[in-house]
Amino acid sequence: MAEFVPSYTPGIVLVLQTILLFSIARADLPGTWELIVQDAGIASMHTAVTRFNTVILLDRTNIGPSRKALDRHRCRRDPKDAALKHDCYAHSVLFDLGTNQIRPLMIQTDTWCSSGQFLSDGSLLQTGGDKDGFKKIRKFEPCDPNETCDWVELQDTELITGRWYATNQILPDGSVIIVGGRGTNTVEYYPPRQNGAVPFQFLADVEDKQMDNLYPYVHLLPDDDGGHLFVFANSRAVKYDHRLNTVVREYPPLDGGPRNYPSGGSSAMLAIQGDFTTAEILICGGAQSGAFTARAIDAPAHGTCGRIIATAADPVWVTEEMPFGRIMGDMVNLPTGEILIINGAQAGSQGFEMGSDPCLYPLLYRPDQPIGLRFMTLNPGTVPRMYHSTANLLPDGRILLAGSNPHYFYKFNAEFPTELRIEAFSPEYLSPDRANLRPEIREIPQIVRYGEVFDVFVTVPLPVVEIIQMNWGSAPFATHSFSQGQRLVKLTVAPSVPDGVGRYRIQCTAPPNGAVSPPGYYMAFAVNQGVPSIARWIRIVS
């Protein structure tokens, strides 16, 4: 792939974009926005939703003062921190969705561009970072909002190899694989394994001058009992057998240039359903090749997407075009099986002050529609969310938007300032005219086992005319345009049976194994004619 050489006329691009946006703005576009918190105190670089309906927001420590003070007599002391050696400010907070209250949390070591994943017991594993956080392993055990859980930095174990810009993925046995990182072309595991850090040559092979192999896209495939991972970095992908440390398949390259950090595309796996043996991967957007090293902040982003059946006998990429070029977008698996693409910019690359032209229009990707009809442009927001922003699905079906800090430190007097506001976007399925279709889960088990048949009871205002789906989604660790561990599973269900006035019983079968749904907690949604219920948390165990 040739290096990027600017060859466009900025004025023409701006005029065309203005005409396009003006024509779209005249339409009545779906979706609504709301401001939830005016000032969260920190700009969230990493975000995760817990089973207690709280949200962990996490920045980095060596950023100087935040806007949220730690509790009295709680300060971090680091003589090597060039910004603030005696730091009494929070760099992580806990947001209570029920009250919209913010509680400061204490993080000791630098979490800049780190990675994370929920474990099977519901605790958040958080790994790596920069400087004193390079080899650190941390845990956050969520608690009731009235309690005072906080970060714990493990003292008895650390990463075998320091990791910065790595990716975590929970495996069927509940362990976590930690993949890559800046200058770290290996994998390792938590809990640590005897073989330590294992070389992964693929990551070295795809590394280029601007290191487009960072934050690799890692998806656990549902085939072969969960022994295979789809790993994408730069513009290439492999099927990796983590048990044997062997690449068992090389996929065709995806055209359109690099897609991973710092070129800022995004990826999600489509809903797993049917017989649970098929996995389709979607990758969208990205910067032009070389835009990062050239500091070409006005270089138009790509609008191409690639979709591939990773489990097919002869997999090929099918490409399609988004309505907008986009970098630094976030992909969110919605309860319906559709994908929301939100946040980001239309020019530049990832990196401090490297992006321009914020992309305020979300997109709805409808995977079951024909090519050319899959993307729907949604109601635009007003807050630019570019570098270091996040998007997470909430149990009520909204999408939480947090962060955006394109600057090395907090900077509020800028074209794209450090962003402390928290917003929520409501897809069209939450519109008032669909309220009579929205089911409410009345009874559901708290714990199920693989393959178990169980009943869910729901109520619906209007009579049910279609099969009510039961879909459950993981709670991923969102950072840098990729949600680590994200997946949506559509359970096998029987047609709903009336059980009183407006009440229905749905017979469900839990996923067959940990390759389909790794052990842990999920948001279980009942979906009626494309309208999801408020989720109930459910745990799957062996």
Side-chain angles (χ1 to χ4, degrees), residues 316-385:
V316 294
W317 290 101
V318 177
T319 58
E320 46 196 315
E321 286 280 345
M322 296 186 289
F324 311 95
R326 192 185 300 254
I327 55 169
M328 298 182 280
D330 287 280
M331 286 186 174
V332 180
N333 283 109
L334 298 180
T336 57
E338 299 162 317
I339 291 178
L340 182 74
I341 306 174
I342 199 166
N343 296 338
Q346 297 181 82
S349 70
Q350 287 176 308
F352 291 120
E353 301 177 354
M354 292 284 286
S356 65
D357 194 5
C359 196
L360 300 175
Y361 285 84
L363 295 175
L364 184 67
Y365 182 79
R366 301 169 293 181
D368 295 335
Q369 294 293 317
I371 291 180
L373 298 177
R374 288 176 178 166
F375 289 103
M376 176 187 290
T377 302
L378 306 179
N379 186 28
T382 58
V383 178
R385 295 194 185 270

Side-chain angles (χ1 to χ4, degrees), residues 498-539:
D499 188 62
V501 178
R503 179 180 165 101
Y504 300 87
R505 176 175 62 85
I506 308 167
Q507 186 183 83
C508 309
T509 303
N513 54 53
V516 177
S517 286
Y521 289 87
Y522 291 80
M523 291 178 279
F525 295 91
V527 181
N528 177 40
Q529 298 185 59
V531 179
S533 67
I534 295 175
R536 297 275 289 270
W537 290 94
I538 190 169
R539 186 181 185 184

Side-chain angles (χ1 to χ4, degrees), residues 158-451:
E158 65 178 10
L159 292 172
I160 298 164
T161 304
R163 296 188 186 270
W164 196 23
Y165 301 90
T167 300
N168 295 7
Q169 171 64 55
I170 189 170
L171 300 175
D173 64 359
S175 65
V176 172
I177 187 171
I178 307 164
V179 182
R182 188 181 179 98
T184 309
N185 299 318
T186 63
V187 303
E188 62 179 283
Y189 298 85
Y190 180 87
R193 298 185 180 179
Q194 290 184 347
N195 56 352
V198 180
F200 189 14
Q201 183 60 37
F202 165 72
L203 292 177
D205 293 342
V206 297
E207 186 176 322
D208 57 22
K209 289 192 296 185
Q210 58 180 26
M211 303 190 75
D212 279 302
N213 65 348
L214 304 181
Y215 278 127
Y217 303 146
V218 180
H219 300 284
L220 174 67
L221 299 178
D223 64 339
D224 196 45
D225 297 324
H228 293 158
L229 298 168
F230 178 92
V231 183
F232 184 99
N234 199 323
S235 61
R236 293 168 52 191
V238 295
K239 180 185 282 189
Y240 175 67
D241 189 326
H242 61 85
R243 299 162 302 187
L244 303 176
N245 185 37
T246 301
V247 171
V248 296
R249 162 171 280 161
E250 294 187 9
Y251 295 95
L254 175 59
D255 293 336
R259 306 280 184 161
N260 296 78
Y261 187 93
S263 293
S266 189
S267 176
M269 182 163 62
L270 303 186
I272 306 172
Q273 56 188 310
D275 63 3
F276 307 116
T277 61
T278 300
E280 289 192 73
I281 311 298
L282 181 68
I283 296 173
C284 289
Q288 296 200 26
S289 181
F292 176 78
T293 52
R295 296 195 62 85
I297 64 173
D298 295 322
H302 287 294
T304 58
C305 293
R307 177 170 160 177
I308 193 168
I309 303 176
T311 49
D314 187 20
V316 294
W317 290 101
V318 177
T319 58
E320 46 196 315
E321 286 280 345
M322 296 186 289
F324 311 95
R326 192 185 300 254
I327 55 169
M328 298 182 280
D330 287 280
M331 286 186 174
V332 180
N333 283 109
L334 298 180
T336 57
E338 299 162 317
I339 291 178
L340 182 74
I341 306 174
I342 199 166
N343 296 338
Q346 297 181 82
S349 70
Q350 287 176 308
F352 291 120
E353 301 177 354
M354 292 284 286
S356 65
D357 194 5
C359 196
L360 300 175
Y361 285 84
L363 295 175
L364 184 67
Y365 182 79
R366 301 169 293 181
D368 295 335
Q369 294 293 317
I371 291 180
L373 298 177
R374 288 176 178 166
F375 289 103
M376 176 187 290
T377 302
L378 306 179
N379 186 28
T382 58
V383 178
R385 295 194 185 270
M386 300 165 68
Y387 190 44
H388 290 154
S389 59
T390 59
N392 295 74
L393 177 67
L394 296 178
D396 63 8
R398 296 178 299 167
I399 291 79
L400 185 85
L401 291 314
S404 188
N405 185 19
H407 313 287
Y408 190 83
F409 296 114
Y410 282 14
K411 187 175 182 180
F412 301 101
N413 184 21
E415 181 182 11
F416 305 119
T418 302
E419 187 53 65
L420 305 183
R421 287 172 288 185
I422 299 176
E423 296 178 287
F425 178 77
S426 295
E428 189 176 22
Y429 56 55
L430 295 178
S431 61
D433 63 350
R434 302 191 183 190
N436 285 339
L437 297 174
R438 193 173 200 191
E440 181 177 352
I441 297 176
R442 296 293 187 172
E443 296 179 37
I444 189 172
Q446 293 184 339
I447 301 175
V448 296
R449 297 186 180 278
Y450 290 111

Side-chain angles (χ1 to χ4, degrees), residues 113-187:
C113 300
S114 50
S115 53
Q117 188 82 164
F118 279 106
L119 300 175
S120 61
D121 64 0
S123 60
L124 179 64
L125 178 77
Q126 216 278 323
T127 51
D130 193 22
K131 297 183 170 59
D132 61 350
F134 195 40
K135 300 183 73 172
K136 271 291 179 179
I137 300 176
R138 313 165 191 89
K139 276 190 180 181
F140 185 91
E141 295 188 8
C143 60
D144 186 273
N146 296 320
E147 299 175 357
T148 56
C149 44
D150 210 333
W151 287 103
V152 174
E153 313 235 353
L154 302 190
Q155 303 301 318
D156 57 345
T157 187
E158 65 178 10
L159 292 172
I160 298 164
T161 304
R163 296 188 186 270
W164 196 23
Y165 301 90
T167 300
N168 295 7
Q169 171 64 55
I170 189 170
L171 300 175
D173 64 359
S175 65
V176 172
I177 187 171
I178 307 164
V179 182
R182 188 181 179 98
T184 309
N185 299 318
T186 63
V187 303

